[in-house]
Amino acid sequence: MARPRRRNKRRPMAEINVVPYIDVMLVLLVIFMITAPMLTQGVDVELPNASASPIQDSENDVMIASVDSKGKFYLDVGGKQESIALAQLQDRVRKVLSQNPKTSVLVRGDRNVPYGDVIGLMVALQGAGVPNVGLVTEPDKN
């Protein structure tokens, strides 16, 4: 006597439920949207507008000295930015330049800072042995 075959065998499912993947993707999108503005480095400086062409990227290291609207000085060397007194800034720049003389130096000055503060920063950089200083501006919106 032959046994009757069972018809309840499970067939392989040919569809993939993608709803959980979409949920994960949306959560990651929200996380990146929230954290991306926080990754912007630098001091809150309102830069003046200029219609100058941007400088060419070089393979040299870049050091950025900044002055905010309150007249506080900041130094960004290799992505590490810190508030610093002008005399300490000059010493730190001198040390960096002694180790790597090809380091480019850029100055970011808030448009509302007194002109004398930016000049004081540039004089301190010159005293530290910086031969050339680049000024950072916002692109002209015209």
Side-chain angles (χ1 to χ4, degrees), residues 23-97:
D23 290 344
V24 170
M25 183 210 46
L26 291 175
V27 168
L28 289 174
L29 178 66
V30 169
I31 290 171
F32 285 121
M33 287 174 59
I34 291 172
T35 58
M38 293 179 200
L39 296 177
T40 304
Q41 295 182 358
V43 183
D44 187 21
V45 175
E46 193 174 327
L47 295 172
N49 295 332
S51 59
S53 60
I55 60 173
Q56 298 296 325
D57 289 336
S58 65
E59 295 181 12
N60 299 336
D61 292 334
V62 176
M63 189 173 4
I64 301 174
S66 304
V67 183
D68 67 4
S69 60
K70 298 173 186 168
K72 290 177 66 178
F73 297 101
Y74 297 87
L75 185 63
D76 182 352
V77 180
K80 298 177 184 176
Q81 184 170 357
E82 58 185 303
S83 177
I84 192 168
L86 190 59
Q88 292 173 332
L89 184 140
Q90 188 175 19
D91 291 338
R92 180 90 38 91
V93 170
R94 187 177 291 120
K95 288 177 186 175
V96 170
L97 287 178

Side-chain angles (χ1 to χ4, degrees), residues 10-30:
R10 289 190 172 186
R11 295 183 199 166
M13 191 171 163
E15 297 176 5
I16 296 176
N17 188 2
V18 295
V19 173
Y21 299 117
I22 293 172
D23 290 344
V24 170
M25 183 210 46
L26 291 175
V27 168
L28 289 174
L29 178 66
V30 169

